[in-house]
């Protein structure tokens, strides 16, 4: 009889583990669905943000490439001797805003400076992407709390 009890205990323990795993997966699925909704909202806002941020035409120095049949501006990595003038104008503008802030800035603060509707859900995602791209290229530093600052 004890063997049957051991099996029943193991089965119950495994069921509890699976229940917990199911709960975690459901939470993760909810998070993924929420992020997808945010991306859908952000995608709708991209057109408006792009018009606001890309008011200036790319300079002759800004290089473009074809990605998925669409022309995209290339943001070069930070190199010794290469100034910000090699960046597309909208990225130069972002660098200027972060530099003039005098310290780490939130994406929302940059959005306010650009005159974006920062209270609209998803409106800042394209801006966050551009700031993250500048951080990935070594031009900005992204802090653990999500703020950005000029790379020394």
């Amino acid at each position: 009889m004890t063997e049957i009890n051991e099996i029943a205990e193991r089965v119950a323990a495994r069921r509890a583990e699976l229940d917990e795993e199911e709960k975690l997966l459901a939470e993760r699925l909810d998070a993924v669905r929420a992020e997808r909704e945010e991306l859908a909202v952000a995608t709708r806002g991209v057109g408006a943000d792009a018009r606001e941020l890309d008011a200036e035409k790319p300079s002759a120095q800004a290089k473009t490439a074809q990605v998925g049949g669409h022309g995209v501006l290339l943001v070069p990595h930070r190199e010794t001797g290469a100034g910000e003038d090699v960046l597309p104008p909208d990225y130069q503008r972002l660098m200027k805003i972060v530099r003039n802030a005098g310290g780490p800035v939130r994406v929302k603060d940059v959005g306010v400076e650009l005159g974006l509707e920062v209270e609209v859900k998803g409106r800042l995602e394209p801006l966050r992407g551009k700031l993250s791209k500048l951080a990935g290229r070594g031009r900005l530093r992204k802090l653990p709390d999500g703020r950005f600052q000029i790379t020394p």
Side-chain angles (χ1 to χ4, degrees), residues 123-135:
R123 181 62 76 170
L124 296 177
E125 292 312 308
L127 179 58
R128 184 182 322 281
K130 288 184 177 192
L131 292 169
S132 294
K133 183 178 277 190
L134 286 168

Side-chain angles (χ1 to χ4, degrees), residues 105-137:
V105 295
R106 299 177 305 162
V107 175
K108 186 174 183 177
D109 298 331
V110 176
V112 167
E113 186 70 25
L114 291 170
L116 300 178
E117 299 176 45
V118 297
E119 300 305 322
V120 176
K121 185 176 181 179
R123 181 62 76 170
L124 296 177
E125 292 312 308
L127 179 58
R128 184 182 322 281
K130 288 184 177 192
L131 292 169
S132 294
K133 183 178 277 190
L134 286 168
R137 300 298 196 274

Side-chain angles (χ1 to χ4, degrees), residues 79-105:
E79 296 176 4
T80 306
E84 291 175 13
D85 57 329
V86 299
L87 295 173
D90 53 334
Y91 286 88
Q92 290 180 27
R93 186 173 177 196
L94 295 177
M95 292 292 293
K96 182 179 177 183
I97 290 170
V98 175
R99 183 179 309 96
N100 290 343
V105 295

Side-chain angles (χ1 to χ4, degrees), residues 59-79:
S59 69
Q61 295 175 332
K63 297 179 183 176
T64 61
Q66 290 289 318
V67 176
H70 300 292
V72 295
L73 293 172
L74 298 178
V75 178
H77 287 273
R78 181 178 179 193
E79 296 176 4

